[in-house]
């Protein structure tokens, strides 16, 4: 006769179930995109962002529930304008887009004609679309013809979990080279654009290049180009213009930073059972849950993370020098709080600490300079 309850250890919770519990039972996972991955790679020491992104937590809703809503993002007008421009660029079978790729990155190949391939990438779910994209890339490479992949789906493993990424376009050249195309709504004025916006686009494109390289590893004749094509409106018109952008540096940095990320299952294993980031829970409970995961706040987070305002408030409350910036944090060494830094400047630091001695010396020089300025001879 069997006993009840059954003997033996309880069944282990799978990682998928564990992450679902962290999100909340009724909260669908929020997929990672290239913009989020680029921001994550820029701050690999932040376990909080790695875990929340890996679990698919909606950080915008979480920040609002914490009382520190995010204050950045594209306006609805900018989104509509961007979609309209992208539709124009890809119209007529992508003829204008392929012509721009040939002009800037064609490398002597025959120009694309009316018979350029635009395969259908429709499939069920992100996994199915990624598999269909990989098949289309394989067929296009074998065909040795100009091919435009409109919104392909690429897969990239990040911190032990798969991320599905959707670039604006990927063009396959007749020689088997694959080029990432980024379409943005900010203008190219006299052939140049805002360096900050170009840099953000380059970091985002570098993520797509990394994902493409994973697919290219399975094809001997495929080569992923490290020069992407940035397509923007020309001057103040709606006509497309383009500029090649070398992303080798951004790709190397992103690859190195993503490799440094702690795996999501390791971060989740350190948290107590029952902890949840469900935005429907009380703010006090969510604050405690978020505080259970270590963060690495820096002022740069304000432009890249939905939780930046909450993390800044906590960093200031804890007197952390990280709130002053990464460069300051790096210069201060073992001095991790503002109070410790001020004490060292006043001469109360450890005499054997070279950072404390340098701060004290700098403070003396500053005092002497102020006294000299106040009492000119």
């Amino acid at each position: 006769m069997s006993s009840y309850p059954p003997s033996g250890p309880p069944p282990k919770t799978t990682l998928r179930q564990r992450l679902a519990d962290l999100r909340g039972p009724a909260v669908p996972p929020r997929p990672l995109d290239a913009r989020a991955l680029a921001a994550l790679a820029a701050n690999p020491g932040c376990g909080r962002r790695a875990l929340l992104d890996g679990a698919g937590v909606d950080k915008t809703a979480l920040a609002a529930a914490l009382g520190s809503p995010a204050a950045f993002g594209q306006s609805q007008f900018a989104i509509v304008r961007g979609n309209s421009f992208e539709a124009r660029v890809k119209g007529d079978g992508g003829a204008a887009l392929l012509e721009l790729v040939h002009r800037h990155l064609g490398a002597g190949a025959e120009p694309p004609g009316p018979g350029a391939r635009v395969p259908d990438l429709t499939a069920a779910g992100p996994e199915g679309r990624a598999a269909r994209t990989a098949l289309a890339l394989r067929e296009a490479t074998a065909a040795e013809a100009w091919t435009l992949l409109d919104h392909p789906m690429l897969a990239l493993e990040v911190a032990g979990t798969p991320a599905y990424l959707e670039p604006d376009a990927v063009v396959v050249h007749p020689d088997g080279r694959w080029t990432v195309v980024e379409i943005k709504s900010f203008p190219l004025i006299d052939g140049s654009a805002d360096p900050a916006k170009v840099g953000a686009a380059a970091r985002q494109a570098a993520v797509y290049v990394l994902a493409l390289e994973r697919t290219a590893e399975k094809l001997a004749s495929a080569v992923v180009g490290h020069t992407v094509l940035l397509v923007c409106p020309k001057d103040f018109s709606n006509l497309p213009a383009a500029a090649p952008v070398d992303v080798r540096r951004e790709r190397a940095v992103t690859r190195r930073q993503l490799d440094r990320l702690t795996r999501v299952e390791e971060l989740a294993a350190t948290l107590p059972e029952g902890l949840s980031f469900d935005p429907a829970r009380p703010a006090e409970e969510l604050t405690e849950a978020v505080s259970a995961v270590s963060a690495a706040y820096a002022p740069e987070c304000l432009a890249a993370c939905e939780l930046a305002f909450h993390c800044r408030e906590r960093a200031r409350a804890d007197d952390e020098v990280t709130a002053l910036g990464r460069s300051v944090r790096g210069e201060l060494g073992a001095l991790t709080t503002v109070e410790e830094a001020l004490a060292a400047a006043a001469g109360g630091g450890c005499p054997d600490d070279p950072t404390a001695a340098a701060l004290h010396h700098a403070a003396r020089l500053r005092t002497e300079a102020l006294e000299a300025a106040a009492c000119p001879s």
Side-chain angles (χ1 to χ4, degrees), residues 196-281:
K197 293 180 178 179
V198 173
R203 290 188 293 272
Q204 184 175 338
V207 177
Y208 297 137
V209 169
L210 286 171
L212 267 182
E213 288 177 341
R214 294 295 172 265
T215 303
E217 289 173 355
K218 304 174 184 178
L219 295 176
S221 56
V223 177
V224 180
H226 290 162
T227 299
V228 306
L229 193 67
L230 179 64
V231 180
C232 302
K234 182 179 181 180
D235 298 325
F236 298 101
S237 70
N238 203 33
L239 299 175
V245 180
D246 190 329
V247 298
R248 282 178 293 182
R249 183 178 65 84
E250 289 82 3
R251 177 215 167 273
V253 171
T254 302
R255 175 74 278 170
R256 183 170 64 251
Q257 301 292 59
L258 291 179
D259 287 341
R260 289 177 55 196
L261 290 175
T262 305
R263 297 178 68 85
V264 172
E265 56 264 37
E266 296 176 16
L267 294 169
T270 64
L271 302 179
E273 290 294 333
L275 182 142
S276 174
F277 303 104
D278 188 345
R281 296 204 172 190

Side-chain angles (χ1 to χ4, degrees), residues 106-134:
E110 289 294 325
R117 299 156 51 95
V118 185
D120 182 12
L121 303 179
T122 305
E127 297 92 341
R129 289 185 58 200
R132 180 67 188 91
T133 295

Side-chain angles (χ1 to χ4, degrees), residues 32-111:
L32 275 170
D33 58 17
R35 185 172 298 174
L37 282 181
L40 184 60
N43 192 7
C46 187
R48 182 175 297 170
R49 174 150 196 167
L51 177 64
L52 295 177
D53 282 347
V57 175
D58 186 342
K59 297 196 301 298
T60 300
L62 178 60
L66 288 167
S68 303
F72 67 91
Q74 280 189 309
S75 68
Q76 192 62 35
F77 173 76
I79 293 173
V80 171
R81 181 182 59 187
N83 291 339
S84 174
F85 177 68
E86 181 176 341
R88 180 187 181 99
V89 172
K90 293 180 178 177
D92 194 20
L97 179 55
L98 289 172
E99 193 276 330
L100 287 171
V101 174
H102 175 261
R103 185 194 311 167
H104 292 277
L105 301 172
E110 289 294 325

Side-chain angles (χ1 to χ4, degrees), residues 307-364:
L307 287 178
F309 289 99
H310 173 80
C311 295
R312 180 179 66 176
E313 180 183 344
R314 303 303 299 180
R316 288 175 173 177
D318 294 338
D319 202 32
E320 297 176 359
V321 295
T322 52
L324 304 177
R326 293 194 181 100
S327 59
V328 176
R329 174 67 185 90
E331 292 289 341
L332 291 180
L335 304 175
T336 58
T337 68
V338 176
E339 183 179 358
E340 290 176 346
L342 292 176
C350 176
D352 297 329
D353 184 354
T355 302
L359 272 177
H360 184 45
H361 180 63
R364 288 204 317 269

Side-chain angles (χ1 to χ4, degrees), residues 139-216:
E139 292 173 345
T141 304
E144 299 182 351
W146 287 102
T147 304
L148 170 63
L149 275 65
D150 185 6
H151 283 289
M153 184 66 73
L154 308 174
L156 179 67
E157 183 175 300
V158 179
T161 60
Y164 293 96
L165 313 171
E166 188 177 8
D168 293 326
V170 171
V171 172
V172 180
H173 298 241
D175 61 1
R177 188 157 39 98
W178 301 352
T179 293
V180 172
V181 178
E182 273 290 281
I183 302 175
K184 298 297 184 182
S185 60
F186 57 82
L188 278 173
I189 302 176
D190 294 332
S192 61
D194 183 341
K197 293 180 178 179
V198 173
R203 290 188 293 272
Q204 184 175 338
V207 177
Y208 297 137
V209 169
L210 286 171
L212 267 182
E213 288 177 341
R214 294 295 172 265
T215 303

